[in-house]
Amino acid sequence: MSDFLSLFQTYNVPAAFLVNLELTFWSLIFSAILGIILVLMRISPISSLRHVASWYVELFKNMPLTIIMVFMVLGAFAQLKLKFSDNFDTNFFWLAVVGLSLYTAAFVCEALRSGINTVPLGQAEAARALGLNFMQSATLIIMPQAIRGSVAPLGNTLIALLKNTTVAAAASVATETSSLMSEMIEFRPDVIIQIFLIFAFGYVILIIPIGILTTFLSNKLAVRR
Amino acid sequence: MAASNESSLLFDAPGPKAQKRIRIINWVAGIVFAIILVLIIMRLHNPPDGENQLSWELWKPALDGEAWSDFYLPGLYATLRATLLAVIGSVVFGLVFGIGRLIPNVIVRGICGVVIEFCRAVPVLIMMIFFWRAFAFINLPSPSYWSVVLSLILYNGSVVAELVRSGVGNLPNGQHEAAVALGLTRTQSLMNVEVPQAIYAMLPAAVTQLVVVLKDTALGSIIMYTDLLQESRRLGSMYFDILQTLVVAAVIYFIVCWLLSRLAEWLPAHMQKRTMAPVENEAVAPIAIMDPSNVNQIAVAREERPLGGTQRTYHVHHRGTNASIHNWRRTRYAQGYDETQPDSQIVHHAPRANQYGPGTEHHHHPHLPHKDKGGQSAK
C-alpha cells in the first residue's frame, strides 16, 4: 500500500490519464465529423463518392495504427514539415490527434453503416411508396432508426479509441499514460507490478462506465422489431 | 462485410433525369479528388524548406534489393512469426477460458470471467511495456519478442473466448436438449456437441481477429521488437528517407491484412454447413467490457418475410451478444419480445409449442419471468 502512495506522490498519474482523455475527446470530435462525411459518401447514389469512401475505409481498417502515428511524426512532421505549433509538445499532441482521427474515422463510418443495416428494406420501400424522395426518406425514416441501431458499435469504437490513445507514445506524446508508465518503471523497477496495476485498473475504471452506458443506451434506444 | 442492403435501402434505380444529375456530380467529385491528389503530390514534391520527397535519391534506397533482403523481409518474417505464435496461443487461451466461462461450476466461471474482462479492458501497449520490462528484469532471452506474443495472446485470447461463448449462445436450444436426451451430462453436451459447432461458427470471426493481431504486432516496434515497422524505421534513419520506407512498409502491411480480410469474407459460406449457429465474419464479440452489439438487429433486418411482408413475431436466430448472454441458456429466445406489443410476447406454455414454424426454436422454461430484465430482453 505504501508503494502505491509513494508512486502517486512522486508521479502525477491522473495528469497522464487526463492527457489520454484529451486525446480521446479531440479525436472523437474529429473522427465523428470525418466518419459522418464518409458514411454519407458511402450511402450516396454518386458512385465516385462511394468508391473513394470505401477505399478510405479499407485502407485504414487494414493499416496498423502504430505506423500511422510514426508516419505523423517522422513522415508528415519531419519530412513534409506539417506543423501545428512551434511548441514541440503541443505539436506532437495535435499530430497524434490527427493520426487517431484519421484511423478512427474509418471505424466510425463502419459503425454508422452497420446501423443502417439494422433498418429493414421494407422501411425504405414504404417511404418511397409514400412518395418521399431520397433526402426525405433518409432524414425522416432511415437515419433516425439507423442511429439507434449504431449506438452499440459506436460505443465499441469509443472504447477502442480510448485504449488506442496509448499508442500516441509512438507519436512522441511524452506525457500520456504508456510513456509515463515506461518512465516510472525505469526509475522504480522494484515496484513494477504495482505500477502495472495502477495503469491497468485506471483503464478498467475508465472503460467500465462507457461499456455500461453503451449497453444501457443501445437497449433503451433499440427499435423493437 | 457480407452483402449489405444500404444501397437498395436509400435510393431507387435512378431514372434518366437522376442519371444525368449523378453523372454531373460524379465529374465534379472526380475533379475535387484529383485536385486534392495534386495538392498532396505538390506538397511531397516541394515541402516548405525541405527536400523533394519524390526524388529517386530518396526512393531508391527504400526500394532496392538490399532494402528488401536486409530490412523488409526479415522484418516481415519477425512480424509473421510473432503473429503466428500469438494466434495459436490466443486460440488455446480463448478455448480454455471461453469454455471455462460456460461450464456449470460457479467458481471456475467467475475466475474465467474476471480474467477475460480484465484482459479485454487493458490497452495492449500497457501490457506490452509491462511484460517487456518484467521479462528483461528476470533475464529472459529476447524479452521484447515474448512480451509482444504474450500481450497479444492475452488480449486476442480474451476476444476468442468471447467468440466461443457467443458461438455456443447462438446455437439452437435443441442441440443441447438432444444431447441431454441422449444421456450426456451438461458438461459432456458442452464439450462434445456445442463447443465443436461454436468453433466452426467463430472461425471467420477469428480470421478477422487475425488481422487485428497482425496490426497490433506493430506496437512491438515501440518496445524495440524488430518487426517490419521497426526495420523500416531503421532503414529510413540510415538514408534520411523514413517517409519513403514507411510507405513501403504500410503497403506491405496493407496487402497482408487485406488478403486476410478477404479470406474472412470467403469463409462464412463454407463454415455454415458444419454448424447450427449463424456464422459471422465480423467479430461479434466484444472489444471491451459489457459491450453490446447490433448484430441481432442487422440479422432481423435481413430476415426474409414469408407472409407477404408481415414481420415475424419470432426471429429465426438469436445472436448471443455479450450483453444478452449472461443468461445465455435461458434468454435465448428473448429477441423479438416487445413489452409494448402483446402480440409479440413469448408464450411459454407448452400447448403453443407446435405452432412455431420450422426454423424457429423456442424454449419452455416455465419459471422464466415475462419481463426478463436480467437477460436484456429483446436485444
Side-chain angles (χ1 to χ4, degrees):
Chain A
M1 211 59 230
S2 60
D3 289 333
F4 284 110
L5 269 181
S6 76
L7 281 172
F8 272 107
Q9 276 159 358
T10 333
Y11 298 97
N12 198 346
V13 178
F17 273 103
L18 200 65
V19 174
N20 284 75
L21 288 175
E22 280 172 24
L23 283 167
T24 311
F25 176 76
W26 291 111
S27 314
L28 178 68
I29 290 177
F30 294 127
S31 62
I33 295 169
L34 189 53
I36 290 169
I37 293 172
L38 282 171
V39 84
L40 288 177
M41 285 165 71
R42 230 176 151 175
I43 61 175
S44 73
I46 322 292
S47 59
S48 62
L49 297 182
R50 271 209 310 272
H51 284 300
V52 169
S54 69
W55 290 337
Y56 181 96
V57 171
E58 277 294 311
L59 177 67
F60 281 95
K61 263 177 85 178
N62 291 311
M63 190 65 66
L65 175 62
T66 324
I67 201 165
I68 297 168
M69 295 302 234
V70 172
F71 186 88
M72 288 314 296
V73 169
L74 298 178
F77 169 64
Q79 277 177 263
L80 293 180
K81 315 290 177 190
L82 185 70
K83 221 151 111 183
F84 291 97
S85 156
D86 285 331
N87 180 337
F88 266 93
D89 283 341
T90 359
N91 186 33
F92 288 141
F93 179 88
W94 289 108
L95 284 168
V97 168
V98 170
L100 279 168
S101 307
L102 289 175
Y103 180 78
T104 313
F107 293 89
V108 172
C109 173
E110 284 294 86
L112 291 171
R113 208 172 68 115
S114 79
I116 289 174
N117 282 333
T118 66
V119 183
L121 200 55
Q123 298 284 321
E125 287 168 352
R128 283 205 289 269
L130 289 173
L132 304 185
N133 63 23
F134 171 72
M135 280 312 283
Q136 285 172 324
S137 72
T139 53
L140 295 172
I141 310 288
I142 314 284
M143 280 306 165
Q145 299 181 61
I147 288 166
R148 287 153 153 250
S150 56
V151 170
L154 282 177
N156 283 341
T157 311
L158 174 60
I159 289 170
L161 171 63
L162 176 59
K163 290 167 67 182
N164 280 339
T165 55
T166 53
V167 186
S172 313
V173 178
T175 45
E176 56 83 53
T177 42
S178 60
S179 316
L180 180 70
M181 181 175 151
S182 296
E183 187 192 323
M184 282 165 75
I185 292 175
E186 206 152 309
F187 288 103
R188 295 292 305 275
D190 50 317
V191 286
I192 179 167
I193 292 175
Q194 284 90 328
I195 294 172
F196 171 66
L197 288 179
I198 288 174
F199 286 99
F201 278 104
Y203 276 98
V204 172
I205 289 166
L206 283 179
I207 282 169
I208 284 177
I210 304 178
I212 291 175
L213 191 70
T214 313
T215 312
F216 171 76
L217 277 182
S218 83
N219 280 321
K220 179 113 183 138
L221 296 176
V223 183
R224 309 282 187 233
R225 296 187 208 282
Chain B
M1 196 99 209
S4 58
N5 57 4
E6 74 238 19
S7 50
S8 51
L9 185 61
L10 286 164
F11 48 86
D12 252 327
K17 238 166 99 183
Q19 268 179 356
K20 200 177 155 197
R21 205 163 49 222
I22 287 174
R23 217 167 21 243
I24 293 169
I25 303 178
N26 254 336
W27 274 105
V28 174
I31 291 167
V32 170
F33 291 127
I35 289 172
I36 293 172
L37 200 67
V38 168
L39 284 177
I40 292 173
I41 289 174
M42 275 168 63
R43 180 80 179 197
L44 282 168
H45 182 69
N46 191 15
D49 48 76
E51 48 185 330
N52 177 8
Q53 297 300 323
L54 295 173
S55 74
W56 186 239
E57 248 103 280
L58 291 175
W59 281 98
K60 189 181 166 290
L63 285 169
D64 63 7
E66 237 166 74
W68 287 94
S69 62
D70 294 353
F71 293 94
Y72 298 130
L73 293 180
L76 184 62
Y77 171 70
T79 292
L80 293 179
R81 194 168 64 132
T83 307
L84 194 68
L85 197 59
V87 164
I88 295 169
S90 40
V91 168
V92 173
F93 179 97
L95 282 176
V96 170
F97 281 85
I99 294 169
R101 217 174 169 182
L102 289 169
I103 62 175
N105 187 320
V106 180
I107 298 166
V108 177
R109 219 163 52 202
I111 292 171
C112 291
V114 170
V115 169
I116 291 170
E117 297 296 346
F118 180 79
C119 292
R120 255 182 10 189
V122 180
V124 181
L125 184 59
I126 297 277
M127 288 199 249
M128 272 190 192
I129 292 172
F130 167 67
F131 287 124
W132 176 45
R133 300 291 184 145
F135 288 163
F137 205 57
I138 58 171
N139 288 322
L140 201 81
S142 53
S144 56
Y145 172 64
W146 290 111
S147 158
V148 169
V149 170
L150 183 61
S151 312
L152 290 177
I153 286 177
L154 290 181
Y155 172 64
N156 295 288
S158 63
V159 175
V160 172
E162 290 300 300
L163 288 175
V164 172
R165 196 164 69 124
S166 69
V168 171
N170 287 340
L171 285 172
N173 243 5
Q175 299 290 316
H176 175 72
E177 285 161 4
V180 174
L182 287 173
L184 274 63
T185 63
R186 272 176 78 180
T187 314
Q188 277 175 330
S189 146
L190 188 71
M191 299 300 293
N192 298 335
V193 177
E194 295 169 64
V195 170
Q197 295 192 64
I199 291 172
Y200 283 117
M202 73 172 216
L203 213 58
V207 176
T208 310
Q209 200 58 29
L210 197 66
V211 178
V212 177
V213 177
L214 195 107
K215 284 167 66 181
D216 279 355
T217 52
L219 288 171
S221 69
I222 298 174
I223 59 163
M224 307 300 156
Y225 179 57
T226 50
D227 67 343
L228 179 55
L229 176 54
Q230 180 75 9
E231 291 281 11
S232 71
R233 283 180 68 168
R234 275 180 52 207
L235 174 64
S237 54
M238 280 165 60
Y239 296 98
F240 302 103
D241 60 346
I242 291 190
L243 186 137
Q244 284 75 7
T245 59
L246 282 178
V247 169
V248 177
V251 170
I252 300 172
Y253 273 116
F254 177 78
I255 291 171
V256 178
C257 293
W258 188 81
L259 289 175
L260 284 173
S261 308
R262 289 291 83 78
L263 177 66
E265 278 174 23
W266 172 84
L267 268 177
H270 295 259
M271 289 299 129
Q272 190 63 74
K273 56 191 167 213
R274 295 171 187 268
T275 173
M276 295 300 288
V279 179
E280 319 268 358
N281 64 351
E282 296 281 303
V284 173
I287 324 175
I289 289 185
M290 290 199 57
D291 54 355
S293 87
N294 63 357
V295 279
N296 276 332
Q297 298 171 44
I298 295 176
V300 171
R302 289 213 187 120
E303 264 176 15
E304 286 179 16
R305 299 275 156 69
L307 306 168
T310 328
Q311 301 226 335
R312 284 170 190 251
T313 317
Y314 304 101
H315 295 290
V316 177
H317 277 299
H318 173 63
R319 264 72 165 172
T321 67
N322 189 36
S324 61
I325 210 169
H326 335 251
N327 224 347
W328 61 275
R329 241 186 237 295
R330 303 206 296 122
T331 60
R332 180 147 322 150
Y333 223 66
Q335 187 196 14
Y337 164 73
D338 184 346
E339 40 190 30
T340 62
Q341 285 289 327
D343 265 11
S344 72
Q345 288 187 6
I346 299 163
V347 181
H348 299 286
H349 312 303
R352 277 197 59 185
N354 52 6
Q355 291 176 11
Y356 301 134
T360 56
E361 68 278 356
H362 91 130
H363 60 88
H364 26 105
H365 199 286
H367 306 301
L368 183 68
H370 268 234
K371 295 185 179 179
D372 187 0
K373 288 292 186 214
Q376 309 280 2
S377 58
K379 263 290 298 157

